């Protein structure tokens, strides 16, 4: 039995992935993407990237800077900023440990198959199911007729991202659940109408406790668009800034240190962050610091975060000084991505009855 049949699944024979083709066991394929819509923060690190990096140990991973998605933001994007953020996000992913040898890292707009496949799926997706998407409803609210078609079509582009690569697993935050379900629905409908072309993906969510809350309002998620400057820890913040932000983090008037999201959201968030950056259990940390007051506890959390970010920041600076290397890695990533996406798209086009060029 050759490698091809081992890797082959219910889809269209083998999944062409030269770098991985020498593996002799069935390997899970992972796809995820992140929008270059702001500076990455501690929530992105603990809620997404830590998991992305770990998945490289057990799966074929494909990670994408989804710049086309970032263009759909209801607040119109600035071209210069989009370009800069795209490089920053790719640099951040490399600095955090996405390994461009083992995994594929690329920029969405460098692989034109994504937009072409979106059109095919546009003809399979229903207006009704898109209109009902919670994220679209939320983002378009109060904008009336001025909302862009791109925002409406966002989940179809995301479907193309995932299905083009026959991804089995899609690690995402809880808020993406509906988008992944839609990708499954569209894939299933396509396969049913036109024949088996696509693998149906499933969402995988990070374990509970990886939701990082705003330091100033611990009942809300830390977020690049909503958090105040004092509420967010950016991955490139200087150690002094980080320390200052943790010192002014909102807690409560009692001085006990224990994990209780409902009663003590601020302290619980700090404990979870502490645990997230050190790998030590929340309960162990609570027991160690309870009784010592909030001051020393906050200092310890700040120190641990600074320590955790130090290698990231060092690596980021190194890469920042070598833009040519980052550009070359992204070009190679796009090339490898196309090796998978192009044949998938071709099969989909033929299945749908589009006449192959050169045939009549
Ligand atoms: P965003 O930066 O909002 O585009 O989020 C990209 C991904 O980062 C999300 O899908 C989540 O997986 C993760 N993420 C963002 N903010 C947080 C947070 N506060 N806590 C945990 N994970 C987060
Ligand atoms: N919509 C996702 C988010 O905001 C980003 C994204 C785009 C994505 N394409 C994807 C995530 C494909 C997973 C797979 O977080």
């Amino acid at each position: 039995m050759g490698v091809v049949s081992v890797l082959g699944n219910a889809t269209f024979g083998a999944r062409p992935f030269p770098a991985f083709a020498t593996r002799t066991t069935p390997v899970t394929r992972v796809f995820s993407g992140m929008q270059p819509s702001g500076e990455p923060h501690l929530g992105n690190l603990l809620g997404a990237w830590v998991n992305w990096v770990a998945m490289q140990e057990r799966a074929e991973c494909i990670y994408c800077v989804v710049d086309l998605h970032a263009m759909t933001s209801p607040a119109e994007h600035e071209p210069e900023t989009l370009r800069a953020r795209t490089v920053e996000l790719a640099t951040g992913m490399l600095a955090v440990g996405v390994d461009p040898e083992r995994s594929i890292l690329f920029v969405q707009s460098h692989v034109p198959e994504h937009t072409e496949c979106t059109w095919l799926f546009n003809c399979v997706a229903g207006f009704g199911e898109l209109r009902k998407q919670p994220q679209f409803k939320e983002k378009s609210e109060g904008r009336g007729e001025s909302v862009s078609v791109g925002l409406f079509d966002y989940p179809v582009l995301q479907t193309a991202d995932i299905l083009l690569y026959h991804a089995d697993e899609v690690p995402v935050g809880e808020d993406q659940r509906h988008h992944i379900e839609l990708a499954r629905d569209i894939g299933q409908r396509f396969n049913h109408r036109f024949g088996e072309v696509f693998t149906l993906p499933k969402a995988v969510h990070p374990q509970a406790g990886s939701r990082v809350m705003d330091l100033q309002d611990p009942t809300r998620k830390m977020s690049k668009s909503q958090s105040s400057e004092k509420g967010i820890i950016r991955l490139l913040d200087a150690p002094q800034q980080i320390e200052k932000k943790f010192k002014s983090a909102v807690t409560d008037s009692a001085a006990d240190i224990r994990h209780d999201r409902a009663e003590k959201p601020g302290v619980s968030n700090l404990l979870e962050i502490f645990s997230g950056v050190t790998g030590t259990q929340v309960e162990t940390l609570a027991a160690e610091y309870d009784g010592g007051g909030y001051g020393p506890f906050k200092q310890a959390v700040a120190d641990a975060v600074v320590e955790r970010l130090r290698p990231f920041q060092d690596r980021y600076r190194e890469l920042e000084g070598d833009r040519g290397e980052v550009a070359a890695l992204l070009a190679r990533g796009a090339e490898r991505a196309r090796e998978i996406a192009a044949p998938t798209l071709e099969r989909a086009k033929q299945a749908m009855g589009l006449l192959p060029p050169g045939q009549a």
Side-chain angles (χ1 to χ4, degrees):
M1 184 164 67
V3 169
V4 161
S5 55
V6 173
L7 284 180
N9 59 5
T11 63
F12 215 86
R15 296 177 295 183
F17 203 173
F20 296 146
T22 49
R23 293 192 185 177
T24 49
T25 48
V27 181
T28 302
R29 175 139 334 139
V30 164
F31 185 101
S32 197
M34 199 178 280
Q35 295 190 59
S37 54
E39 286 176 60
H41 56 80
L42 201 55
N44 297 132
L45 178 74
L46 299 180
W49 285 353
V50 162
N51 195 24
W52 287 19
V53 170
M55 280 178 139
Q56 298 179 118
E57 300 300 327
R58 64 164 185 86
E60 301 172 342
C61 297
I62 305 173
Y63 296 129
C64 184
V65 177
V66 292
D67 54 349
L68 299 169
H69 278 111
M71 293 168 69
T72 67
S73 144
E76 283 170 22
H77 79 276
E78 231 278 50
E80 237 3 278
T81 312
L82 177 60
R83 219 174 344 256
R85 296 251 188 266
T86 301
V87 178
E88 284 165 16
L89 191 58
T91 307
M93 289 176 183
L94 290 165
V96 86
V98 169
D99 177 353
E101 291 299 320
R102 265 195 297 179
S103 305
I104 294 181
L105 173 66
F106 72 105
V107 174
Q108 189 184 32
S109 66
H110 294 177
V111 178
E113 282 76 8
H114 290 239
T115 41
E116 195 173 346
C117 188
T118 300
W119 183 259
L120 305 188
F121 289 155
N122 277 339
C123 301
V124 174
F127 184 84
E129 64 191 342
L130 291 187
R131 193 177 44 185
K132 279 195 306 230
Q133 285 294 316
Q135 195 160 59
F136 173 71
K137 288 209 311 215
E138 194 187 304
K139 288 196 177 172
S140 60
E141 201 171 69
R143 293 182 179 267
E145 299 282 293
S146 73
V147 65
S148 80
V149 176
L151 187 68
F152 185 69
D153 210 27
Y154 181 115
V156 180
L157 177 61
Q158 182 163 351
T159 298
D161 295 343
I162 299 165
L163 297 193
L164 275 173
Y165 299 91
H166 301 290
D168 304 297
E169 293 184 10
V170 185
V172 279
E174 283 287 341
D175 62 333
Q176 294 298 310
R177 176 186 297 279
H178 298 278
H179 286 164
I180 313 305
E181 272 167 24
L182 182 79
R184 281 184 72 89
D185 290 348
I186 292 177
Q188 195 162 32
R189 202 173 305 147
F190 185 105
N191 287 350
H192 186 71
R193 270 182 72 185
F194 303 113
E196 291 287 320
V197 174
F198 296 108
T199 302
L200 305 184
K202 74 167 195 283
V204 291
H205 303 296
Q207 81 279 33
S210 53
R211 227 165 103 92
V212 179
M213 310 308 274
D214 187 302
L215 298 185
Q216 290 298 313
D217 178 358
T219 60
R220 283 190 2 197
K221 239 175 55 163
M222 186 179 286
S223 135
K224 34 191 175 196
S225 54
Q226 317 244 307
S227 289
S228 68
E229 193 46 47
K230 284 171 74 183
I232 189 168
I233 301 289
R234 298 181 204 286
L235 299 184
L236 292 173
D237 278 349
Q240 307 84 292
Q241 281 174 295
I242 295 175
E243 202 172 316
K244 216 166 136 193
K245 289 180 188 181
F246 276 110
K247 279 189 175 155
S248 64
V250 167
T251 42
D252 53 56
S253 53
D256 56 328
I257 294 170
R258 63 190 166 85
H259 190 267
D260 181 339
R261 276 253 187 198
E263 293 283 320
K264 299 176 73 70
V267 172
S268 303
N269 186 37
L270 294 180
L271 278 168
E272 285 177 26
I273 291 174
F274 204 174
S275 168
V277 296
T278 56
T280 309
Q281 296 278 335
V282 161
E283 293 71 27
T284 313
L285 292 166
E288 188 178 338
Y289 286 89
D290 192 24
Y294 288 157
F297 171 60
K298 286 176 166 181
Q299 184 67 51
V301 178
D303 290 345
V305 170
V306 167
E307 257 341 284
R308 174 69 178 79
L309 292 184
R310 195 188 306 281
F312 168 81
Q313 296 189 348
D314 290 348
R315 181 76 185 119
Y316 190 98
R317 300 287 175 224
E318 248 173 60
L319 289 161
E320 218 181 14
D322 196 353
R323 291 286 194 102
E325 171 71 6
V326 174
L329 288 173
L330 292 176
R332 175 80 188 112
E335 203 180 300
R336 291 171 66 204
R338 288 195 83 175
E339 283 167 15
I340 305 169
T344 313
L345 178 67
E346 211 38 55
R347 289 203 299 268
K349 286 167 74 173
Q350 288 190 25
M352 287 183 101
L354 296 170
L355 183 68
Q359 278 189 29

